[in-house]
Amino acid sequence: MSHANNPDVLNRLKRAQGHLSKIVEMVEEGRDALVIAQQLQAVVKAVDKAKTFLVLHHIEHHLYEAVGPLPKETRDRLAEMAEITKYL
C-alpha cells in the first residue's frame, strides 16, 4: 500500500463525496441557496482537511525514510508544526 493510499485519507474523501452527492440533490430540488452554500463550505473544508492530512503524512513518511526514527522531542515539535497548518 502506498503511503498516499492511507485509509484515513480515503475515508475523509469518501465522506466528502457522499456529502457532495447530497448537495447535488439539494440543487436539483431547488433548495435555498444559503443552505446549499453552507453545505458546500462544509465539503470544501472536509476536502481541505483531507489534503492537509495527506501532505503532512507524506512529509512525515519521507522524513522518517530519510533520517530514520525520530526522538520523541522531535516528533512533538513536528506535531506542533502540523497543528499550526490548520491556520493556512
Side-chain angles (χ1 to χ4, degrees), residues 13-28:
L13 291 174
K14 286 179 182 181
R15 276 195 308 270
Q17 183 179 35
H19 195 165
L20 185 57
S21 293
K22 294 297 181 188
I23 296 169
V24 169
E25 289 175 17
M26 292 170 68
V27 171
E28 291 171 343

Side-chain angles (χ1 to χ4, degrees), residues 30-75:
R31 299 275 303 271
D32 183 62
L34 177 59
V35 174
I36 292 169
Q38 290 169 333
Q39 295 304 311
L40 283 170
Q41 182 60 33
V43 170
V44 167
K45 199 129 174 98
V47 170
D48 194 43
K49 284 184 178 185
K51 177 188 69 173
T52 299
F53 183 89
L54 175 73
V55 170
L56 290 173
H57 185 266
H58 180 80
I59 291 168
E60 188 177 294
H61 173 83
H62 287 288
L63 185 59
Y64 180 85
E65 208 173 58
V67 298
L70 301 172
K72 182 177 178 347
E73 182 179 308
T74 303
R75 289 192 318 270

